[in-house]
mmCIF file with all atom_site columns, all heavy atoms in Angstrom:
data_model
loop_
_atom_site.group_PDB
_atom_site.id
_atom_site.type_symbol
_atom_site.label_atom_id
_atom_site.label_alt_id
_atom_site.label_comp_id
_atom_site.label_asym_id
_atom_site.label_entity_id
_atom_site.label_seq_id
_atom_site.pdbx_PDB_ins_code
_atom_site.Cartn_x
_atom_site.Cartn_y
_atom_site.Cartn_z
_atom_site.occupancy
_atom_site.B_iso_or_equiv
_atom_site.pdbx_formal_charge
_atom_site.auth_seq_id
_atom_site.auth_comp_id
_atom_site.auth_asym_id
_atom_site.auth_atom_id
_atom_site.pdbx_PDB_model_num
ATOM 1   N N   . SER A 1 60 ? -7.044 -1.130 7.521   1.00 90.00 ? 60 SER A N   1
ATOM 2   C CA  . SER A 1 60 ? -7.765 -0.698 6.325   1.00 90.00 ? 60 SER A CA  1
ATOM 3   C C   . SER A 1 60 ? -7.058 -1.247 5.104   1.00 90.00 ? 60 SER A C   1
ATOM 4   O O   . SER A 1 60 ? -5.832 -1.299 5.060   1.00 90.00 ? 60 SER A O   1
ATOM 5   C CB  . SER A 1 60 ? -7.794 0.827  6.209   1.00 90.00 ? 60 SER A CB  1
ATOM 6   O OG  . SER A 1 60 ? -8.506 1.399  7.259   1.00 90.00 ? 60 SER A OG  1
ATOM 7   N N   . MET A 1 61 ? -7.844 -1.622 4.124   1.00 90.00 ? 61 MET A N   1
ATOM 8   C CA  . MET A 1 61 ? -7.274 -2.068 2.864   1.00 90.00 ? 61 MET A CA  1
ATOM 9   C C   . MET A 1 61 ? -6.681 -0.858 2.145   1.00 90.00 ? 61 MET A C   1
ATOM 10  O O   . MET A 1 61 ? -7.212 0.237  2.231   1.00 90.00 ? 61 MET A O   1
ATOM 11  C CB  . MET A 1 61 ? -8.361 -2.691 1.994   1.00 90.00 ? 61 MET A CB  1
ATOM 12  C CG  . MET A 1 61 ? -7.834 -3.260 0.701   1.00 90.00 ? 61 MET A CG  1
ATOM 13  S SD  . MET A 1 61 ? -9.100 -3.475 -0.536  1.00 90.00 ? 61 MET A SD  1
ATOM 14  C CE  . MET A 1 61 ? -9.436 -1.802 -0.990  1.00 90.00 ? 61 MET A CE  1
ATOM 15  N N   . VAL A 1 62 ? -5.579 -1.074 1.496   1.00 89.00 ? 62 VAL A N   1
ATOM 16  C CA  . VAL A 1 62 ? -4.951 -0.010 0.722   1.00 89.00 ? 62 VAL A CA  1
ATOM 17  C C   . VAL A 1 62 ? -4.576 -0.587 -0.643  1.00 89.00 ? 62 VAL A C   1
ATOM 18  O O   . VAL A 1 62 ? -4.108 -1.716 -0.746  1.00 89.00 ? 62 VAL A O   1
ATOM 19  C CB  . VAL A 1 62 ? -3.724 0.587  1.450   1.00 89.00 ? 62 VAL A CB  1
ATOM 20  C CG1 . VAL A 1 62 ? -2.631 -0.437 1.656   1.00 89.00 ? 62 VAL A CG1 1
ATOM 21  C CG2 . VAL A 1 62 ? -3.176 1.791  0.732   1.00 89.00 ? 62 VAL A CG2 1
ATOM 22  N N   . SER A 1 63 ? -4.838 0.180  -1.683  1.00 88.00 ? 63 SER A N   1
ATOM 23  C CA  . SER A 1 63 ? -4.504 -0.295 -3.024  1.00 88.00 ? 63 SER A CA  1
ATOM 24  C C   . SER A 1 63 ? -3.067 0.095  -3.381  1.00 88.00 ? 63 SER A C   1
ATOM 25  O O   . SER A 1 63 ? -2.382 0.787  -2.636  1.00 88.00 ? 63 SER A O   1
ATOM 26  C CB  . SER A 1 63 ? -5.510 0.220  -4.054  1.00 88.00 ? 63 SER A CB  1
ATOM 27  O OG  . SER A 1 63 ? -5.593 1.609  -3.984  1.00 88.00 ? 63 SER A OG  1
ATOM 28  N N   . VAL A 1 64 ? -2.621 -0.338 -4.520  1.00 88.00 ? 64 VAL A N   1
ATOM 29  C CA  . VAL A 1 64 ? -1.215 -0.253 -4.899  1.00 88.00 ? 64 VAL A CA  1
ATOM 30  C C   . VAL A 1 64 ? -0.691 1.185  -4.983  1.00 88.00 ? 64 VAL A C   1
ATOM 31  O O   . VAL A 1 64 ? 0.329  1.511  -4.378  1.00 88.00 ? 64 VAL A O   1
ATOM 32  C CB  . VAL A 1 64 ? -0.975 -0.996 -6.232  1.00 88.00 ? 64 VAL A CB  1
ATOM 33  C CG1 . VAL A 1 64 ? 0.439  -0.776 -6.734  1.00 88.00 ? 64 VAL A CG1 1
ATOM 34  C CG2 . VAL A 1 64 ? -1.249 -2.474 -6.063  1.00 88.00 ? 64 VAL A CG2 1
ATOM 35  N N   . TYR A 1 65 ? -1.368 2.058  -5.735  1.00 88.00 ? 65 TYR A N   1
ATOM 36  C CA  . TYR A 1 65 ? -0.816 3.405  -5.919  1.00 88.00 ? 65 TYR A CA  1
ATOM 37  C C   . TYR A 1 65 ? -0.714 4.202  -4.619  1.00 88.00 ? 65 TYR A C   1
ATOM 38  O O   . TYR A 1 65 ? 0.333  4.818  -4.372  1.00 88.00 ? 65 TYR A O   1
ATOM 39  C CB  . TYR A 1 65 ? -1.594 4.187  -6.981  1.00 88.00 ? 65 TYR A CB  1
ATOM 40  C CG  . TYR A 1 65 ? -1.283 3.733  -8.387  1.00 88.00 ? 65 TYR A CG  1
ATOM 41  C CD1 . TYR A 1 65 ? -2.288 3.346  -9.251  1.00 88.00 ? 65 TYR A CD1 1
ATOM 42  C CD2 . TYR A 1 65 ? 0.031  3.678  -8.848  1.00 88.00 ? 65 TYR A CD2 1
ATOM 43  C CE1 . TYR A 1 65 ? -2.002 2.920  -10.542 1.00 88.00 ? 65 TYR A CE1 1
ATOM 44  C CE2 . TYR A 1 65 ? 0.319  3.257  -10.138 1.00 88.00 ? 65 TYR A CE2 1
ATOM 45  C CZ  . TYR A 1 65 ? -0.702 2.879  -10.975 1.00 88.00 ? 65 TYR A CZ  1
ATOM 46  O OH  . TYR A 1 65 ? -0.411 2.457  -12.241 1.00 88.00 ? 65 TYR A OH  1
ATOM 47  N N   . PRO A 1 66 ? -1.730 4.212  -3.762  1.00 89.00 ? 66 PRO A N   1
ATOM 48  C CA  . PRO A 1 66 ? -1.535 4.903  -2.479  1.00 89.00 ? 66 PRO A CA  1
ATOM 49  C C   . PRO A 1 66 ? -0.391 4.303  -1.656  1.00 89.00 ? 66 PRO A C   1
ATOM 50  O O   . PRO A 1 66 ? 0.349  5.028  -0.997  1.00 89.00 ? 66 PRO A O   1
ATOM 51  C CB  . PRO A 1 66 ? -2.879 4.733  -1.768  1.00 89.00 ? 66 PRO A CB  1
ATOM 52  C CG  . PRO A 1 66 ? -3.864 4.596  -2.871  1.00 89.00 ? 66 PRO A CG  1
ATOM 53  C CD  . PRO A 1 66 ? -3.131 3.822  -3.940  1.00 89.00 ? 66 PRO A CD  1
ATOM 54  N N   . LEU A 1 67 ? -0.227 3.004  -1.726  1.00 89.00 ? 67 LEU A N   1
ATOM 55  C CA  . LEU A 1 67 ? 0.869  2.365  -0.995  1.00 89.00 ? 67 LEU A CA  1
ATOM 56  C C   . LEU A 1 67 ? 2.221  2.820  -1.538  1.00 89.00 ? 67 LEU A C   1
ATOM 57  O O   . LEU A 1 67 ? 3.128  3.164  -0.784  1.00 89.00 ? 67 LEU A O   1
ATOM 58  C CB  . LEU A 1 67 ? 0.737  0.843  -1.077  1.00 89.00 ? 67 LEU A CB  1
ATOM 59  C CG  . LEU A 1 67 ? 1.747  0.023  -0.283  1.00 89.00 ? 67 LEU A CG  1
ATOM 60  C CD1 . LEU A 1 67 ? 1.652  0.339  1.203   1.00 89.00 ? 67 LEU A CD1 1
ATOM 61  C CD2 . LEU A 1 67 ? 1.495  -1.457 -0.509  1.00 89.00 ? 67 LEU A CD2 1
ATOM 62  N N   . VAL A 1 68 ? 2.354  2.844  -2.846  1.00 90.00 ? 68 VAL A N   1
ATOM 63  C CA  . VAL A 1 68 ? 3.617  3.273  -3.455  1.00 90.00 ? 68 VAL A CA  1
ATOM 64  C C   . VAL A 1 68 ? 3.874  4.750  -3.192  1.00 90.00 ? 68 VAL A C   1
ATOM 65  O O   . VAL A 1 68 ? 4.993  5.147  -2.867  1.00 90.00 ? 68 VAL A O   1
ATOM 66  C CB  . VAL A 1 68 ? 3.627  2.996  -4.979  1.00 90.00 ? 68 VAL A CB  1
ATOM 67  C CG1 . VAL A 1 68 ? 4.831  3.637  -5.648  1.00 90.00 ? 68 VAL A CG1 1
ATOM 68  C CG2 . VAL A 1 68 ? 3.617  1.508  -5.250  1.00 90.00 ? 68 VAL A CG2 1
ATOM 69  N N   . LEU A 1 69 ? 2.839  5.583  -3.305  1.00 90.00 ? 69 LEU A N   1
ATOM 70  C CA  . LEU A 1 69 ? 3.030  7.027  -3.174  1.00 90.00 ? 69 LEU A CA  1
ATOM 71  C C   . LEU A 1 69 ? 3.159  7.501  -1.735  1.00 90.00 ? 69 LEU A C   1
ATOM 72  O O   . LEU A 1 69 ? 3.837  8.489  -1.463  1.00 90.00 ? 69 LEU A O   1
ATOM 73  C CB  . LEU A 1 69 ? 1.875  7.766  -3.861  1.00 90.00 ? 69 LEU A CB  1
ATOM 74  C CG  . LEU A 1 69 ? 1.803  7.587  -5.372  1.00 90.00 ? 69 LEU A CG  1
ATOM 75  C CD1 . LEU A 1 69 ? 0.519  8.192  -5.909  1.00 90.00 ? 69 LEU A CD1 1
ATOM 76  C CD2 . LEU A 1 69 ? 3.027  8.183  -6.054  1.00 90.00 ? 69 LEU A CD2 1
ATOM 77  N N   . LEU A 1 70 ? 2.525  6.809  -0.804  1.00 88.00 ? 70 LEU A N   1
ATOM 78  C CA  . LEU A 1 70 ? 2.492  7.298  0.570   1.00 88.00 ? 70 LEU A CA  1
ATOM 79  C C   . LEU A 1 70 ? 3.163  6.359  1.571   1.00 88.00 ? 70 LEU A C   1
ATOM 80  O O   . LEU A 1 70 ? 3.267  6.682  2.740   1.00 88.00 ? 70 LEU A O   1
ATOM 81  C CB  . LEU A 1 70 ? 1.046  7.545  0.995   1.00 88.00 ? 70 LEU A CB  1
ATOM 82  C CG  . LEU A 1 70 ? 0.300  8.554  0.127   1.00 88.00 ? 70 LEU A CG  1
ATOM 83  C CD1 . LEU A 1 70 ? -1.184 8.548  0.449   1.00 88.00 ? 70 LEU A CD1 1
ATOM 84  C CD2 . LEU A 1 70 ? 0.883  9.946  0.299   1.00 88.00 ? 70 LEU A CD2 1
ATOM 85  N N   . GLY A 1 71 ? 3.598  5.189  1.105   1.00 84.00 ? 71 GLY A N   1
ATOM 86  C CA  . GLY A 1 71 ? 4.261  4.246  2.001   1.00 84.00 ? 71 GLY A CA  1
ATOM 87  C C   . GLY A 1 71 ? 5.646  4.728  2.380   1.00 84.00 ? 71 GLY A C   1
ATOM 88  O O   . GLY A 1 71 ? 6.250  5.555  1.712   1.00 84.00 ? 71 GLY A O   1
ATOM 89  N N   . GLY A 1 72 ? 6.164  4.193  3.472   1.00 76.00 ? 72 GLY A N   1
ATOM 90  C CA  . GLY A 1 72 ? 7.490  4.586  3.932   1.00 76.00 ? 72 GLY A CA  1
ATOM 91  C C   . GLY A 1 72 ? 8.596  3.987  3.087   1.00 76.00 ? 72 GLY A C   1
ATOM 92  O O   . GLY A 1 72 ? 8.373  3.099  2.267   1.00 76.00 ? 72 GLY A O   1
ATOM 93  N N   . GLY A 1 73 ? 9.790  4.487  3.285   1.00 81.00 ? 73 GLY A N   1
ATOM 94  C CA  . GLY A 1 73 ? 10.951 3.946  2.590   1.00 81.00 ? 73 GLY A CA  1
ATOM 95  C C   . GLY A 1 73 ? 11.107 4.491  1.186   1.00 81.00 ? 73 GLY A C   1
ATOM 96  O O   . GLY A 1 73 ? 10.286 5.247  0.683   1.00 81.00 ? 73 GLY A O   1
ATOM 97  N N   . GLN A 1 74 ? 12.189 4.086  0.570   1.00 86.00 ? 74 GLN A N   1
ATOM 98  C CA  . GLN A 1 74 ? 12.512 4.527  -0.785  1.00 86.00 ? 74 GLN A CA  1
ATOM 99  C C   . GLN A 1 74 ? 11.816 3.642  -1.822  1.00 86.00 ? 74 GLN A C   1
ATOM 100 O O   . GLN A 1 74 ? 11.573 2.471  -1.592  1.00 86.00 ? 74 GLN A O   1
ATOM 101 C CB  . GLN A 1 74 ? 14.019 4.456  -1.010  1.00 86.00 ? 74 GLN A CB  1
ATOM 102 C CG  . GLN A 1 74 ? 14.809 5.402  -0.137  1.00 86.00 ? 74 GLN A CG  1
ATOM 103 C CD  . GLN A 1 74 ? 14.558 6.839  -0.526  1.00 86.00 ? 74 GLN A CD  1
ATOM 104 O OE1 . GLN A 1 74 ? 14.539 7.183  -1.706  1.00 86.00 ? 74 GLN A OE1 1
ATOM 105 N NE2 . GLN A 1 74 ? 14.345 7.685  0.460   1.00 86.00 ? 74 GLN A NE2 1
ATOM 106 N N   . VAL A 1 75 ? 11.528 4.229  -2.960  1.00 89.00 ? 75 VAL A N   1
ATOM 107 C CA  . VAL A 1 75 ? 10.963 3.501  -4.087  1.00 89.00 ? 75 VAL A CA  1
ATOM 108 C C   . VAL A 1 75 ? 12.091 3.220  -5.077  1.00 89.00 ? 75 VAL A C   1
ATOM 109 O O   . VAL A 1 75 ? 12.864 4.113  -5.419  1.00 89.00 ? 75 VAL A O   1
ATOM 110 C CB  . VAL A 1 75 ? 9.852  4.328  -4.778  1.00 89.00 ? 75 VAL A CB  1
ATOM 111 C CG1 . VAL A 1 75 ? 9.354  3.623  -6.019  1.00 89.00 ? 75 VAL A CG1 1
ATOM 112 C CG2 . VAL A 1 75 ? 8.721  4.596  -3.827  1.00 89.00 ? 75 VAL A CG2 1
ATOM 113 N N   . HIS A 1 76 ? 12.173 1.974  -5.504  1.00 90.00 ? 76 HIS A N   1
ATOM 114 C CA  . HIS A 1 76 ? 13.200 1.580  -6.467  1.00 90.00 ? 76 HIS A CA  1
ATOM 115 C C   . HIS A 1 76 ? 12.526 0.908  -7.659  1.00 90.00 ? 76 HIS A C   1
ATOM 116 O O   . HIS A 1 76 ? 11.482 0.279  -7.515  1.00 90.00 ? 76 HIS A O   1
ATOM 117 C CB  . HIS A 1 76 ? 14.205 0.611  -5.840  1.00 90.00 ? 76 HIS A CB  1
ATOM 118 C CG  . HIS A 1 76 ? 14.934 1.189  -4.685  1.00 90.00 ? 76 HIS A CG  1
ATOM 119 N ND1 . HIS A 1 76 ? 15.968 2.078  -4.810  1.00 90.00 ? 76 HIS A ND1 1
ATOM 120 C CD2 . HIS A 1 76 ? 14.760 1.023  -3.354  1.00 90.00 ? 76 HIS A CD2 1
ATOM 121 C CE1 . HIS A 1 76 ? 16.412 2.427  -3.627  1.00 90.00 ? 76 HIS A CE1 1
ATOM 122 N NE2 . HIS A 1 76 ? 15.682 1.796  -2.719  1.00 90.00 ? 76 HIS A NE2 1
ATOM 123 N N   . THR A 1 77 ? 13.140 1.042  -8.821  1.00 90.00 ? 77 THR A N   1
ATOM 124 C CA  . THR A 1 77 ? 12.660 0.338  -10.009 1.00 90.00 ? 77 THR A CA  1
ATOM 125 C C   . THR A 1 77 ? 13.807 -0.503 -10.550 1.00 90.00 ? 77 THR A C   1
ATOM 126 O O   . THR A 1 77 ? 14.970 -0.117 -10.456 1.00 90.00 ? 77 THR A O   1
ATOM 127 C CB  . THR A 1 77 ? 12.181 1.305  -11.106 1.00 90.00 ? 77 THR A CB  1
ATOM 128 O OG1 . THR A 1 77 ? 13.248 2.182  -11.451 1.00 90.00 ? 77 THR A OG1 1
ATOM 129 C CG2 . THR A 1 77 ? 10.983 2.113  -10.639 1.00 90.00 ? 77 THR A CG2 1
ATOM 130 N N   . GLN A 1 78 ? 13.461 -1.656 -11.087 1.00 89.00 ? 78 GLN A N   1
ATOM 131 C CA  . GLN A 1 78 ? 14.479 -2.518 -11.677 1.00 89.00 ? 78 GLN A CA  1
ATOM 132 C C   . GLN A 1 78 ? 13.839 -3.462 -12.677 1.00 89.00 ? 78 GLN A C   1
ATOM 133 O O   . GLN A 1 78 ? 12.632 -3.696 -12.641 1.00 89.00 ? 78 GLN A O   1
ATOM 134 C CB  . GLN A 1 78 ? 15.214 -3.315 -10.608 1.00 89.00 ? 78 GLN A CB  1
ATOM 135 C CG  . GLN A 1 78 ? 14.325 -4.271 -9.832  1.00 89.00 ? 78 GLN A CG  1
ATOM 136 C CD  . GLN A 1 78 ? 15.074 -4.964 -8.703  1.00 89.00 ? 78 GLN A CD  1
ATOM 137 O OE1 . GLN A 1 78 ? 16.124 -4.515 -8.274  1.00 89.00 ? 78 GLN A OE1 1
ATOM 138 N NE2 . GLN A 1 78 ? 14.537 -6.062 -8.226  1.00 89.00 ? 78 GLN A NE2 1
ATOM 139 N N   . LEU A 1 79 ? 14.664 -3.989 -13.554 1.00 90.00 ? 79 LEU A N   1
ATOM 140 C CA  . LEU A 1 79 ? 14.227 -4.988 -14.516 1.00 90.00 ? 79 LEU A CA  1
ATOM 141 C C   . LEU A 1 79 ? 14.523 -6.348 -13.896 1.00 90.00 ? 79 LEU A C   1
ATOM 142 O O   . LEU A 1 79 ? 15.657 -6.646 -13.541 1.00 90.00 ? 79 LEU A O   1
ATOM 143 C CB  . LEU A 1 79 ? 14.976 -4.820 -15.841 1.00 90.00 ? 79 LEU A CB  1
ATOM 144 C CG  . LEU A 1 79 ? 14.621 -5.799 -16.956 1.00 90.00 ? 79 LEU A CG  1
ATOM 145 C CD1 . LEU A 1 79 ? 13.154 -5.656 -17.343 1.00 90.00 ? 79 LEU A CD1 1
ATOM 146 C CD2 . LEU A 1 79 ? 15.515 -5.573 -18.160 1.00 90.00 ? 79 LEU A CD2 1
ATOM 147 N N   . LEU A 1 80 ? 13.483 -7.164 -13.732 1.00 88.00 ? 80 LEU A N   1
ATOM 148 C CA  . LEU A 1 80 ? 13.632 -8.459 -13.080 1.00 88.00 ? 80 LEU A CA  1
ATOM 149 C C   . LEU A 1 80 ? 12.925 -9.522 -13.908 1.00 88.00 ? 80 LEU A C   1
ATOM 150 O O   . LEU A 1 80 ? 11.698 -9.493 -14.030 1.00 88.00 ? 80 LEU A O   1
ATOM 151 C CB  . LEU A 1 80 ? 13.040 -8.384 -11.669 1.00 88.00 ? 80 LEU A CB  1
ATOM 152 C CG  . LEU A 1 80 ? 13.368 -9.488 -10.698 1.00 88.00 ? 80 LEU A CG  1
ATOM 153 C CD1 . LEU A 1 80 ? 14.860 -9.512 -10.391 1.00 88.00 ? 80 LEU A CD1 1
ATOM 154 C CD2 . LEU A 1 80 ? 12.597 -9.279 -9.400  1.00 88.00 ? 80 LEU A CD2 1
#
Side-chain angles (χ1 to χ4, degrees):
S60 296
M61 184 200 72
V62 63
S63 55
V64 173
Y65 285 126
L67 184 60
V68 171
L69 294 172
L70 301 169
Q74 295 292 316
V75 175
H76 299 283
T77 58
Q78 63 185 19
L79 180 62
L80 194 64

